[in-house]
Structures are given as structure tokens and as C-alpha cells.
Amino acid sequence: KGPLPSISESWYRLKDLGGTWYSLFTWFCFSIGFLMFFQTNDTAPYLFILSGAGLSFVGVATMFKETKSLEPYIHTIGAVVCIVSALFGIAIERNSWLPMIIFAILAILIKLFKVKNSTWWTEIAAFLTILGGLLIY
């Protein structure tokens, strides 16, 4: 149905379907997070471990709209740690700062042009630059 306000919003949309469809978001985060643990070449393994752990925290703290809870903070911090650690991991271990530079430019352009659903597009830019960095380098 097109871009949502954020990728995490899909948890709420899947919850509305009834059943346990909403768990797909958590399984997605856990799967990608777990795979991030193994992306290291042993130069700075902690960066990819942090990245995977960050995304796993996003999958655990799914209810980011709660106002009287720590969940939104855990969710947001987990997402930031995931993205930043993965991009630094690619930069340091694979000697390529290009994915981080591309992500920074895209994130700035998304904010500068006030793109609708900017969080979603920023998250997509993060996934694509990290995936590209892992595949190319």
C-alpha cells in the first residue's frame, strides 16, 4: 500500500490484521540482526555485533508509539546503533566510506526536500547502502 511513516509502522498495520501477523516484523529484525553478527572479517567485530544487537532491540521494542514506556527510546536507540554501527563497520573493515557518504547525502536530501514519509525513506536508504556496502566490498 505504499510507503508507511516508518518501517516499524508495519508492526501496527500487521497487528490490525489480527492473529500473530505482527510477529513478522520481529522475526524480520531478528533475522537480519542475527546475520549482521557474521559480517565481520575480524578487524572490528564489535561494530557488526552492535549493529545486529541494535536491530534485535528494534524487534523487541516494537510498540514505539507508547508514551509511558521506555520502548520508544529503546526502539529509536536500537535503530540508530544498527545503522551507524553497520556503516562504520563497512568503512573500517572493508575500507570503504562510500556507503556512509551515500547514506548521509540521501538522508540530508530526504530532510531538505521534506519528502513524505521521510523516516521510511531514510530507513530504506540505510538498508540499501548497508546491503550495497556488504555485497560490493
Side-chain angles (χ1 to χ4, degrees), residues 11-33:
W11 184 86
Y12 287 98
R13 301 288 172 98
L14 290 168
K15 184 98 170 134
D16 292 342
L17 294 176
T20 58
W21 288 105
Y22 61 93
S23 67
L24 290 174
F25 176 78
T26 299
W27 285 110
F28 168 78
C29 291
F30 285 173
S31 300
I32 303 297

Side-chain angles (χ1 to χ4, degrees), residues 6 19 24 27 29 32 37 49 58 61 68 70 72 76-77 79 90-92 95 102-103 105 116 121-122 136:
S6 69
L24 290 174
W27 285 110
C29 291
I32 303 297
F37 295 156
I49 291 169
V58 170
K68 297 177 180 174
L70 286 176
T76 303
I77 292 167
I90 293 166
I92 292 169
N95 299 315
I102 291 171
F103 172 73
I105 291 169
K116 185 179 178 186
W121 286 108
T122 304
I136 294 170

Side-chain angles (χ1 to χ4, degrees):
K1 297 187 178 192
L4 298 171
S6 69
I7 293 173
S8 300
E9 181 72 29
S10 64
W11 184 86
Y12 287 98
R13 301 288 172 98
L14 290 168
K15 184 98 170 134
D16 292 342
L17 294 176
T20 58
W21 288 105
Y22 61 93
S23 67
L24 290 174
F25 176 78
T26 299
W27 285 110
F28 168 78
C29 291
F30 285 173
S31 300
I32 303 297
F34 179 74
L35 292 173
M36 287 304 289
F37 295 156
F38 304 101
Q39 298 306 313
T40 185
N41 64 12
D42 289 333
T43 306
Y46 58 90
L47 290 170
F48 290 108
I49 291 169
L50 273 174
S51 178
L55 191 55
S56 295
F57 275 101
V58 170
V60 169
T62 54
M63 295 184 287
F64 65 94
K65 292 181 180 180
E66 291 292 316
T67 56
K68 297 177 180 174
S69 169
L70 286 176
E71 258 184 273
Y73 302 104
I74 294 168
H75 186 92
T76 303
I77 292 167
V80 170
V81 166
C82 172
I83 293 167
V84 171
S85 296
L87 290 170
F88 269 105
I90 293 166
I92 292 169
E93 289 204 353
R94 296 192 168 83
N95 299 315
S96 176
W97 293 87
L98 190 59
M100 185 180 294
I101 293 167
I102 291 171
F103 172 73
I105 291 169
L106 290 173
I108 290 168
L109 290 174
I110 288 166
K111 289 295 181 191
L112 193 64
F113 288 106
K114 298 178 181 168
V115 175
K116 185 179 178 186
N117 299 321
S118 62
T119 302
W120 189 86
W121 286 108
T122 304
E123 292 168 341
I124 293 299
F127 273 115
L128 291 176
T129 53
I130 291 167
L131 180 63
L134 291 173
L135 290 173
I136 294 170
Y137 301 102

